[in-house]
Amino acid sequence: MTDSSSPDITATAEPHDVHAVEEKWRRYWENNGTFLAGGADDERPRRYVLAMFPYPSGDMHMGHASNYLYSDIVARFWRHRGYNVLQPIGWDSFGLPAENAAIQRGADPREWTYDNIAQQRDSLGKYGVSFDWTRVLHTSDPEYYQWNQWLFQQMYDRGLAYRAESPVNWCPNDQTVLANEQVVDGSCDRCGATVIKKKLTQWYFKITEYADRLLEDLDALEGVWPHKVLQMQRNWIGRSTGADIDFEIEGRAEKVTVFTTRADTLHGATFMVVAPDSDLAAELAASASPETRMRFQDYLDKTQKQTDIERQSSDREKTGVSLERFAINPVNGERLPIWAADYVLADYGHGAVMAVPAHDQRDLDFARTFDLPVRVVLDTSAEGENLPDPTETGEALAGEGVLINSGELDGLPKAEAIARMTEILAKSGSGRATTQYRLRDWLISRQRFWGTPIPMIHTADGRIEKVPADQLPVTLPVAKDIDLKPKGTSPLGGATEWVTTTDPVTGEPALRDPDTMDTFVDSSWYYLRFLSPKSDTVAFDPAEANRWAPVDTYIGGVEHAILHLLYARFITKVLHDMGLVDFTEPFSALINQGMILLDGAKMSKSKGNLVQVSDQLGEHGSDAVRVALAFAGPVEDDKDWNDVQTAGAKKFLARAMRAAEDVASEVGADPATGDKALRRVTHHLLNDAPAIVEHTKYNVLVARLMELVNAIRKAIDSGAGGADPAVREAAETLAVMLDVVAPHTAEEIWEILGHAPSVSAVVWPNADPALLTADEVTAVVQVNGKVRSQLQVSAEITPEELEALARGDEKVQRFVGDGQIVKAIVRAPKIVSLVVK
Ligand code: ANZ
């Protein structure tokens, strides 16, 4: 690297002024573009390292600090392995907190957001992360969000974006809809309010069309993504294979279909249950007696206040309303009473189930509550045992068995019976094999201001048209002219001037769509924008995308295990199908870092227990914070800030610096003649470090660097001292490795050792295999219980070799004399005990 602004060597006169040293190197990196990714002509292999971009909710806290430390270790590591590394940074800067803060303070969400970004940017800069700062993006810039609008219209053209009315999750506090993924244990993941269901017309992305691929492609990520995350995604997609069965309903022309995974139990169905909040329940109730109608309405109101989790939990009392109607079992013509009950969900399967109380626990609980019949159709008893009666025991008969009370299925084992029944139903036209998914389409419209406007137009005669390309982007109006308070409809709808537009077909007045997009749309493809951050003609250049992406290492919290990662995977597949990228998964490897806690609690703004990055950097300097965090424990573990040892880290760095200052040999001095013990430590580290870092054992790396510093100190204080060329070799190794964790100190050491910056570009040398041989140990040889000789042997010597050496040893032979060795007890590599007679 050419050095146009070589730091003044005399500036190292006070090497322990940590802030001055760190400032000096940051300026150097900035002036020299040290961490800019190499262009298309760079022949080194490439690595794309990315930490999940921050939301600008305030200044950075130590949770952020650990995230960006780990990504920086990975990025710096690959540079030292000879790679062309890209590590960009941006801000996920649309979203509710800005808007809520703005409402509370009467400020502009834009100002709040960009002030916070400036603060975070300053902290990240001082932290010394090796970002390519020329690629910064903010999702709230029109230069970025115009491409969300492009993406939306592309999806619309492909039938992947559509509008539909359906029951949606509604946060009564934030007055906006939420995606299923944003409802955590029945509460809004932003504000914690209990989420209710509401019927609304909204925009959706058709992620269900990709359900199979999203599920199946997880297998290839096994081993490179945390298994837990893969499992969470699998469960979220929730593929379930079974059968749809059609039931005639007395007095209704159309049949009702239910989804079941247990077609084998059809003979055991004794009633039918429909979700109270389904269209079917409303329709059936409408023809019931006035009293039942009232009871039903009352029950529906109660149901709508329950979360899906509450509704489905197994340990609660079953409730329901009989709808006074009957379904006909297609295999035996039996009349099954129809009930509405909240444990059946409107938006899974068909919102109706055939209830088989003998074999399904919730159906059994319900049957026992309302005194409905129970018929066992699967004998699950072990040989010689009696089959328990579920009505009495209260326990449904789950598990394997053979069919009974089921006509021609009798005697078949469960799996065969499922297949056989599905066949029978298919033949008679009243059923078919099918697959259900828990995954729902992605609801992307939000009734909020601070997001990407949906680029669609509602015409006076009820058509929906795209905003024409020459009118894109649709930018947000100025916030101060708008009432941002949540009132159930989008604030943009009240911005008369903004919302009024013209029908692109007729030229008549029309209205813009007043909703904005879920911010997860922004983060579903941002990793591609970093590759063409300045383009105003395309969202990203496919050639750049295929050169750099997928991201080689993606780092972030496990809280994004489902929503963000699933959406990014989905959009990547869509872009692949559009022919824009030649890969189908966005992130080749994923690292989840643990949380940084304070006094055992998660740091959060609302709890007021944030440890701010800027405070810590001001107090200790960046490198001490970085070393302390890296040393605090395994990446994936939660760590309490109280256990993070900044003082110890500072001492270690000062010690490392002093060791470098004591080096007295010339640059290029041949270490071959130097202290062998020290050389061994150095070369073992050279040998081990790549695997240590690749396996994310950053705490181990710090421990090994500490060991190296101790070994250097020991060598300096004894033997040939600082003039020993092995000391230089060790100190240089220290600099090139310390760089991944404590880059400012590493640069300083590298300079102290007489090298030109930057150490970040130095490829790690290979270990000398000759110095990796096992260390020697002293073995003692006893003859008849007395130590008679000592041998210097390899620590890895085999018992046979050691015994042979002992027998051949001159001193030993003297003590054996004319006697006979009758027994040899060997404990390699330490002891040989000979018994002589
Ligand atoms: C009859 C039956 C008998 C069932 C039996 C189970 C055991 P998974 O595996 O999650 O897909 N079900 C179907 N739709 C439902 C809805 N909207 N709300 C609540 N439950 C619903 O579960 C499929 C099973 O869940 C289906 O199979 C159905 O009950 C129930 F011994 O049908 B089963």
Side-chain angles (χ1 to χ4, degrees), residues 238-243 245 258-266 268-269 273-275 311-312 341-363 377-378 396-398 414 436-438 440:
R239 183 159 76 183
S240 178
T241 49
I245 304 180
V258 304
F259 171 70
T260 180
T261 47
R262 295 293 306 276
D264 58 316
T265 63
L266 184 50
V273 186
V274 299
R311 286 172 64 165
Q312 294 234 294
D342 61 4
Y343 74 93
V344 173
L345 302 178
D347 57 2
Y348 186 70
H350 305 281
V353 306
M354 63 180 215
V356 185
H359 302 289
D360 182 282
Q361 191 60 45
R362 281 174 302 190
D363 294 343
V377 290
L378 191 74
L397 300 172
K414 177 171 138 185
Q436 282 292 331
Y437 300 86
R438 208 177 92 86
R440 297 279 86 104

Side-chain angles (χ1 to χ4, degrees), residues 225-233 558 561:
W225 277 33
H227 179 69
K228 183 176 152 198
V229 172
L230 298 175
Q231 224 28 52
M232 285 164 85
Q233 294 235 340
V558 73

Side-chain angles (χ1 to χ4, degrees), residues 445-503:
S445 42
R446 295 289 180 278
Q447 291 68 52
R448 299 305 298 247
F449 169 79
W450 192 232
T452 305
I454 290 179
M456 303 300 283
I457 294 171
H458 302 268
T459 68
D461 55 1
R463 278 172 292 118
I464 292 182
E465 298 287 345
K466 289 189 287 183
V467 172
D470 62 355
Q471 291 171 33
L472 290 175
V474 179
T475 54
L476 285 171
V478 178
K480 71 173 170 40
D481 304 337
I482 294 172
D483 178 12
L484 294 178
K485 282 198 201 65
K487 41 195 171 305
T489 54
S490 175
L492 285 173
T496 317
E497 204 181 308
W498 183 89
V499 85
T500 313
T501 182
T502 45
D503 182 333

